[in-house]
Amino acid sequence: MIPVVKALQIPTPDGRADTLTAFPDDGERHPGVLLYMDAFGVRPELEERARELARHGYYVLVPNVFYRQGPAPVFDLPEHITQEARPAVFARVMPLIEAHDAERVLRDADAFLGFLTAQPEVGAGPVGVIGYCMGAKLAVRTAAAHPGRVAAVAGFHPSPLMGDAPDSPHHLFPELTARVHLGIAESDMTPEAVGALDRALSAAGVDHTCEIYPGTVHGFTMSDTDAFDASALRRHWDRLLPLLDSALTER
């Protein structure tokens, strides 16, 4: 199946967000998936991720969450992000991440989900939300704010979801009704920290799995970085596709 890929503009309260969409070219309606980017932004790597999901029968929306600073790419990236290049790249991206506070996330989530579910190619059922790196936080916030719409959440090599800040995402766990999978880089969290995250989700009554992907470092799903791990990417698909199938299509 060859997906259709389109570039669209989504109106939001703060402007227009440039967005990629990918969906099967079969004239049918399909479950919707909102895919939140990692810190490096919307780029060919994420377009291919959206294409693969579309090949499996999903309508995928990939917004540039940094649209307030300009269309993607908001800043120039190396074609391949080496370990040596990461500090310079993060020095440029961290101010954008810090400016993207919870209020912005929720305003955008309303706009993104509203647009996604209004598309004629998207079915009437619930949607899934996927996030990579910083996108995992956005996925949790989105799902917690829209429990009636979001039935599946997946976060891979997530930014910290538990912390001391009053707006730490873990405070939102009791609002989640979605099924959740978190695929965690071995270098990101200790087993004890993963255990605490797992217990917090359990205490909130969330149907979830938390899994450390062996031998991985942060960013392991991204083939345009030195962090890439092909076996971990396969594990990611082995966890993600059944989650989406069970939460979005077995209804």
Side-chain angles (χ1 to χ4, degrees):
M1 181 187 301
I2 300 176
V4 174
V5 178
K6 293 182 178 180
L8 299 174
Q9 297 283 323
I10 296 179
T12 81
D14 297 333
R16 300 183 71 83
D18 52 304
T19 304
L20 281 176
T21 63
F23 54 93
D25 187 16
D26 59 6
E28 301 294 328
R29 301 178 76 190
H30 299 275
V33 172
L34 173 58
L35 191 158
Y36 280 124
M37 65 192 212
D38 62 351
F40 298 143
V42 180
R43 60 197 191 282
E45 176 75 13
L46 293 189
E47 179 177 334
E48 180 51 39
R49 195 69 42 90
R51 287 179 183 271
E52 183 63 20
L53 283 165
R55 293 184 192 106
H56 286 274
Y58 296 97
Y59 182 110
V60 188
L61 187 71
V62 190
N64 167 28
V65 302
F66 295 151
Y67 68 89
R68 295 169 182 84
Q69 286 75 35
V74 177
F75 52 87
D76 291 334
L77 280 174
E79 185 173 339
H80 185 86
I81 303 167
T82 64
Q83 194 62 30
E84 293 74 22
R86 288 178 76 92
V89 173
F90 269 102
R92 299 191 67 182
V93 76
M94 281 308 297
L96 306 184
I97 295 173
E98 290 167 355
H100 199 66
D101 60 20
E103 290 186 5
R104 283 188 177 184
V105 173
L106 295 182
R107 288 200 301 273
D108 286 351
D110 290 346
F112 297 156
L113 288 180
F115 183 90
L116 175 62
T117 55
Q119 298 312 295
E121 299 89 358
V122 175
V127 304
V129 185
I130 305 167
Y132 298 88
C133 178
M134 59 169 275
K137 284 186 175 182
L138 310 188
V140 169
R141 294 194 189 282
T142 298
H146 297 273
R149 280 182 166 176
V150 179
V153 170
F156 298 95
H157 38 89
S159 296
L161 297 173
M162 294 184 67
D164 297 329
D167 65 347
S168 173
H170 78 279
H171 295 304
L172 301 173
F173 289 170
E175 309 302 319
L176 293 173
T177 60
R179 302 180 193 177
V180 175
H181 173 73
L182 298 175
I184 300 163
E186 190 173 82
S187 67
D188 276 350
M189 298 176 68
T190 65
E192 292 76 16
V194 175
L197 179 60
D198 183 73
R199 289 190 296 274
L201 286 161
S202 294
V206 180
D207 182 355
H208 74 282
T209 54
C210 290
E211 182 178 0
I212 296 176
Y213 286 29
T216 56
V217 297
H218 187 76
F220 59 78
T221 65
M222 300 298 168
S223 67
D224 60 352
T225 77
D226 276 358
F228 179 61
D229 184 309
S231 64
L233 179 63
R234 288 192 296 272
R235 183 186 293 256
H236 144 284
W237 287 118
D238 289 344
R239 304 298 187 266
L240 177 58
L241 293 173
L243 172 69
L244 295 177
D245 288 346
S246 63
L248 306 186
T249 64
E250 292 180 5
R251 289 176 178 264

